[in-house]
Amino acid sequence: NAGVTQTPKFQVLKTGQSMTLQCAQDMNHEYMSWYRQDPGMGLRLIHYSVGAGITDQGEVPNGYNVSRSTTEDFPLRLLSAAPSQTSVYFCASSYSTTNAYEQYFGPGTRLTVT
Amino acid sequence: AQSVTQPDIHITVSEGASLELRCNYSYGATPYLFWYVQSPGQGLQLLLKYFSGDTLVQGIKGFEAEFKRSQSSFNLRKPSVHWSDAAEYFCAVKKIQFYFGTGTSLTVIP
């Protein structure tokens, strides 16, 4: 299994540009999520999904869209990039939303918005 | 609302010394609790988790954590720290979503 994969690893955008961060998992996990990590802020949940076709907002959803058309993929779209979205983005997945199934994390995407 | 507090932003210990990283949570029911470690430039790796039963749980790399309901705490411990343990450590609580603390950065000095 490849686990959780994210592309690209690094990205530089200009203010106002849009882009999609890709996330895929091959573990047939039900739950997938996106976080952003900023210094001193820990990981903040952007959006999450409890299954194909179902998504919901997390703590910091503004400026981001998601969709979950398949179990495997959970892309994150930046609609109009802003410097405040400069961050490291992590995708994670978990077998189930119930019980103590842990999350598995991707390697991250480092995004800079100029 | 659920929340996780890691009161120590940064800790420095000598190699071979013992370590305790603090974690307090706010949650209305019996929580599922996790500790993750993040090495520089890497994603997060699970160290251990608690969901029920024995309140002292063992994890990978020689780490353990103790769940204390009366103190709403889930502190991470290691008896003897190695230089390779230098990393960022995150405590997390799960309902449906996972809620993470702000992390504790560990420096290990020779």
Side-chain angles (χ1 to χ4, degrees):
Chain A
N1 287 350
V4 181
T5 58
Q6 291 183 239
T7 55
K9 284 188 166 45
F10 301 94
Q11 183 70 50
V12 179
L13 291 178
K14 294 187 187 309
T15 296
Q17 287 184 316
S18 63
M19 78 159 295
T20 299
L21 278 62
Q22 301 293 343
C23 174
Q25 52 89 11
D26 61 357
M27 298 174 283
N28 199 32
H29 282 178
E30 177 180 281
Y31 177 91
M32 296 185 75
S33 58
W34 276 102
Y35 296 87
R36 59 177 291 173
Q37 183 178 29
D38 303 289
M41 306 287 284
L43 281 85
R44 293 183 291 169
L45 182 65
I46 304 172
H47 286 285
Y48 66 98
S49 168
V50 299
I54 306 169
T55 64
D56 206 346
Q57 297 180 349
E59 182 185 0
V60 289
N62 292 343
Y64 307 95
N65 273 359
V66 292
S67 60
R68 183 102 179 265
S69 56
T70 67
T71 300
E72 295 78 19
D73 300 298
F74 191 46
L76 178 72
R77 297 182 185 84
L78 280 69
L79 308 173
S80 177
S84 61
Q85 293 178 304
T86 294
S87 187
V88 181
Y89 292 84
F90 288 100
C91 179
S93 72
S94 178
Y95 178 72
S96 171
T97 57
T98 60
N99 299 321
Y101 292 108
E102 67 268 27
Q103 286 193 114
Y104 294 83
F105 283 81
T109 295
R110 186 174 295 275
L111 175 68
T112 302
V113 183
T114 61
Chain B
Q2 298 80 18
S3 69
V4 180
T5 302
Q6 293 180 247
D8 303 307
I9 296 173
H10 185 251
I11 285 181
T12 300
V13 299
S14 298
E15 191 167 17
S18 63
L19 171 70
E20 182 168 25
L21 303 183
R22 295 183 290 165
C23 173
N24 293 96
Y25 65 89
S26 170
Y27 191 68
T30 301
Y32 299 133
L33 294 160
F34 305 81
W35 274 99
Y36 283 85
V37 61
Q38 183 182 32
S39 298
Q42 303 297 312
L44 279 74
Q45 180 185 20
L46 180 71
L47 281 175
L48 48 78
K49 63 182 179 182
Y50 169 81
F51 56 98
S52 68
D54 193 346
T55 56
L56 184 65
V57 293
Q58 303 296 321
I60 63 172
K61 305 185 181 188
F63 285 92
E64 65 178 27
E66 186 171 14
F67 170 60
K68 293 185 177 180
R69 186 188 304 276
S70 61
Q71 299 178 19
S72 297
S73 68
F74 188 56
N75 294 349
L76 182 71
R77 301 195 293 249
K78 187 169 185 178
S80 178
V81 170
H82 188 263
W83 64 265
S84 60
D85 293 325
E88 188 94 16
Y89 291 82
F90 292 94
C91 181
V93 62
K94 174 184 177 181
K95 185 182 179 182
I96 293 175
Q97 311 96 322
F98 287 75
Y99 297 90
F100 284 82
T102 52
T104 297
S105 176
L106 175 65
T107 297
V108 181
I109 56 177

